[in-house]
Each structure stands twice: as C-alpha cells, then as structure tokens.
Amino acid sequence: MTAIRPAEGADGTGLTPEHGRAGLGLAPGIALYLASVLGTGLLVLPGLAAKTAGPASLIAVGVITLLAVPLAGAFAALAARHPDPGGVASYARTALGPTAARATGYWFLFGVAAGGPVVAVLGARYIATVVGIDRAGIPWLALGFLVVPFVANLFGVRLTGWLQLVLTGLLLAIVVVVVAVAAPAVRPESFTPFLPHGWGGVGTAIVMFVWAFAGWEVGTHISGEFARPRRTIPLATAITLVLAGGCYLALQLVTVGALGERAGQGDVVLLDLAESGGVRAAPTLIGVVSAVVALGVLNVYLAAFGKLGASLASNRDLPRWFAKGVESGAVPRRALMLSMVLVLAYFGVSWATGFDLQPFILIHTASMVAVYTIGMIAAIRILPRRTPGWWMAVIASLCTVGLLLLAGAALVVPVVVAVIAVAVTLVRRARERRRGAPENRDTASVV
C-alpha cells in the first residue's frame, strides 16, 4: 500500500520539500487554485442562482463563501503536511481504511468527471454566441475544449501551471470588466422582493454554488508538485478564498441588480451583463475569455484526474498498468488517457441527451460533497489535534454533512459508486481466502 508521504523533513534525507528541488511557486499555485475554484461557475451560476433565489442569492454566495473557509483551510493543512498524488483518497486510506479510500477515489475519478462535458459545452456556447456559429457546431467546439487541455497535460503539470497563470489572469480581468460595465445598470428596485422563492430557494442556490466553490481538493492531488508546499499551499489557498469570494459576490450583485427578472433566462449571463452596460467590445472579450475559463478548468481537473488515477492504480484500485507516472514530477500519461476516455464517455451521453447539463452538474456536485465529507473525517484523524487545521476540519465536517442533506436524490450516484467499492473489497477478501493466504492491508477491512 502507498502510504501518505511523511511531513517535510521526516524522510531521513535531510532535505525537505522546501529545498533542493524545483516545482510550482506561489503565482502558478494561485492560478491553479483559482481555476479549479472559480472555473465555469462564473459563466452560468450567477444567472441560475438569481433565477432560483432572486436577490436572496446574495445570501447563498455569502453562506457558501463562509463554508469554504474551514473546508479550504483543512485541505490546505493536509496538502501542506502530506503531499500525495492520491489526495483525499490517500488521506482516507490512512485514516479510514482501503474501502473508504477506494470509494473516495472512485467518487472523484468517475463522478466528478461528469463535470467535464458541462465545462466544455458552456465554453462552446459562449464562443458560438459571440462568433455567430450555429448551434449544430457547439458539440464540435466542445470537443476542441476537451482535446486541447488533454494534450497540454501530456507535457506535465509544471508546464500547465505557468500556462494556467496566464489563463487565470485573463479570467480575473474579465470579471473586472463585466462588473465595471454592468454596475451603472444596477437598479435598486431589482432587489425587491428580496425572497421571492422563500428560504427553500436560498437552500437550492447554496447547493448550486457547491459547483462554484468545489475545487479545493484539486490542490491535494498536485501538492507534491509544489517546491515549498508548507509555505506556498496555505498562502495560495488564503489568496484564492479572498479573490473567489469577491468575484462571485460582485458578479451576483450586478446580475441581480442589472438583469432583474431576466437573470437566468439564457445560457450566457456574462454576455447579458455586458450588453446591459452598452459596451460593444465587451461581448467579444467575454467570448474569448470564456474559452480561457473552460480551457483552464479542464486543464486543472485533467491534471488531478491523471495523478489520482495513477495513485489508485498503484494501490490496485485500478489496473496496475495505469500506475506509471505516479511519482512527483512524472507525467501519468496512461491515467490521463483513462481520464479522457471517462470524460468523453460523459460527453457522448450528454450529446445523445441534447446537452441537458443539469444531470451532470448534480452528479458532479453530489460526488464532490461525498468526497469532502470523507476528506474532512480523515483530516480530523490525521491532522495534529487542536491545531488550526484540525479545528477547521471539525467545523467543515459538520458543514459537509449539512450539504449531504441538501443534495438529496443527487446522492444516488455516489451511493452506487460506494457499493461498487465495497464489492471490490469483498471480492478481494474472498480471493485471498481461497488462496489460503492472510489478508493484506489493502483488503483487510470494509469501512
């Protein structure tokens, strides 16, 4: 079994990750975190949340931002102390056993991957709207969004980290532009009535914003690629929290205030905001940067999927053939190919069903909540007691349980995946018994 790597300086070499090797620094680290957290939520969620909760969607943004603080802090503490490509799955293996680790890895690899076609299609829709491409061309544009970051990741996450720095800079620039051009169109009367759909609408909007603030776990999968994880990861996390929360709050404010009841009626809310400000050049700029957003998100998640797939294979939760490239600095090209096949399979289903994205968003967010719940329980057991990271994990575990309740029927997919993980454990135990060999640590317990 591949255990979590020891804390820095604990490997007996005299060197720590703080010295002696190259890796990601603060700037590309922030870019990768921002891309995974902000992502395509900027393209669609402000409008959908306003449609669901009205002006009270501002409360949803505030609540999910506050919930993200302990969650992000706990993941930062784990990633900084225990860099491991398996991420949450490796933490679950150490704290809760192999079956919990297997379920967590499967949730992320097979469940979160459902967000791939959502990201690609949203980016394609923006480009098609700006350029004037017929809707029949959207699937082919979306395929392009999937292929480009896959090819980039074949060259390694350290190259894509610097690429992501450029992409994220453009993303932040477009948020500033949209808020600036739409702010003059904000009308006070758009904020009344404040609760048109009651508190139930606010609860639904909070669950939707899980998509927006899901992404903190991505850093755990690439934590081994940082040159100074203990110094860089907490700082990158804190800066990302401030920037992400500010971006979503500002966009939600102008979405409600400038669009009013029109918010959420179309697929391209940022373009609607630009048009409300009457700036001709803004739609073109937004179309370009929406492509940047989609490419950036897929770039980050494919890197995480690749490292996770290789880690799962090294622990025999996937065929061992996919384990090549699991080491820090290595490129897990075989696992990347598996990840791409999974994403393309989801894409094919979405194409066959007319690109109705809601089911894929629900699969993605429900899987993320399940991963977060296990991750926070593992953090409580792994992190030193009564440290800031440990307390954040305690608070976050309570928050994630609440999100599980809000997820409701969307938890069907995570439950099915968990049953598969348990079945794999039972099959392995049966094989070991037939061979007359003692059960090894990978198959000794069912959690």
Side-chain angles (χ1 to χ4, degrees):
M1 181 179 75
T2 300
I4 287 179
R5 268 184 262 164
E8 297 163 274
D11 58 3
T13 64
L15 288 175
T16 75
E18 299 291 330
H19 303 89
R21 68 177 176 88
L24 295 173
L26 180 61
I30 293 171
L32 287 167
Y33 269 96
L34 269 175
S36 61
V37 174
L38 285 179
T40 50
L42 291 173
L43 304 181
V44 65
L45 285 179
L48 290 179
K51 182 179 180 180
T52 301
S57 56
L58 291 167
I59 296 177
V61 175
V63 169
I64 203 68
T65 302
L66 291 176
L67 290 177
V69 172
L71 188 68
F75 274 129
L78 282 171
R81 287 179 174 271
H82 306 287
D84 190 283
V88 183
S90 289
Y91 307 141
R93 186 178 304 277
T94 296
L96 302 171
T99 305
R102 188 175 303 115
T104 303
Y106 289 174
W107 284 331
F108 193 83
L109 188 62
F110 298 106
V112 175
V118 177
V119 174
V121 171
L122 286 175
R125 284 176 177 173
Y126 268 81
I127 291 295
T129 301
V130 171
V131 180
I133 297 175
D134 186 82
R135 293 185 68 88
I138 289 178
W140 304 106
L141 280 174
L143 274 175
F145 278 113
L146 294 175
V147 171
V148 170
F150 170 71
V151 172
N153 269 279
L154 291 177
F155 293 95
V157 69
R158 292 176 186 175
L159 172 64
T160 58
W162 285 105
L163 172 62
Q164 195 61 56
L165 180 60
V166 176
L167 299 182
T168 302
L170 291 172
L171 169 60
L172 293 177
I174 199 59
V175 172
V176 172
V177 169
V178 169
V179 171
V181 301
V186 172
R187 303 180 304 276
E189 58 269 22
S190 296
F191 295 91
T192 55
F194 190 72
L195 276 168
H197 306 292
W199 289 106
V202 176
T204 302
I206 290 173
V207 175
M208 291 170 60
F209 271 111
V210 171
W211 173 280
F213 283 85
W216 304 110
E217 79 298 330
V218 171
T220 65
H221 297 291
I222 59 174
S223 54
E225 309 302 325
F226 285 87
R228 297 177 174 85
R230 281 214 176 181
R231 182 183 308 174
T232 304
I233 290 175
L235 187 56
T237 299
I239 293 173
T240 300
L241 268 171
V242 173
L243 291 176
C247 286
Y248 273 110
L249 187 60
L251 277 177
Q252 201 62 41
L253 183 65
V254 296
T255 297
V256 172
L259 299 182
E261 295 182 354
R262 294 189 295 118
Q265 292 182 358
D267 296 328
V268 287
V269 64
L270 293 188
L271 292 180
D272 293 338
L273 286 172
E275 291 174 356
S276 71
V279 179
R280 291 184 178 181
T284 300
L285 181 60
I286 291 170
V288 172
V289 178
S290 65
V292 168
V293 173
L295 289 173
V297 172
L298 289 167
N299 178 40
V300 173
Y301 270 93
L302 279 172
F305 289 152
K307 280 296 186 181
L308 173 61
S311 177
L312 288 171
S314 70
N315 287 294
R316 299 191 304 123
D317 294 327
L318 289 176
R320 295 278 297 189
W321 188 81
F322 294 107
K324 184 177 176 60
V326 70
E327 306 86 1
S328 294
V331 182
R333 292 186 176 89
R334 295 176 180 178
L336 276 170
M337 288 188 289
L338 172 63
S339 303
M340 192 61 182
V341 169
L342 290 172
V343 172
L344 287 175
Y346 275 119
F347 181 80
V349 174
S350 67
W351 193 342
T353 55
F355 291 112
D356 179 9
L357 300 183
Q358 183 174 357
F360 300 93
I361 292 176
L362 290 175
I363 293 172
H364 174 96
T365 55
S367 300
M368 288 305 316
V369 172
V371 169
Y372 284 168
T373 301
I374 293 295
M376 291 303 97
I377 295 173
I380 292 172
R381 302 191 64 176
I382 292 173
L383 293 174
R385 291 179 62 84
R386 303 187 185 282
T387 59
W390 184 85
W391 282 113
M392 287 187 179
V394 171
I395 296 170
S397 64
L398 298 175
C399 296
T400 54
V401 170
L403 289 174
L404 279 175
L405 297 176
L406 288 175
L411 288 173
V412 170
V413 170
V415 168
V416 171
V417 172
V419 170
I420 293 173
V422 172
V424 171
T425 295
L426 294 176
V427 169
R428 286 186 178 179
R429 294 180 67 178
R431 286 178 177 175
E432 294 292 340
R433 288 172 179 170
R434 285 198 300 269
R435 292 171 183 168
E439 296 172 12
N440 61 32
R441 292 176 63 190
D442 282 339
T443 58
S445 63
V446 177
V447 177

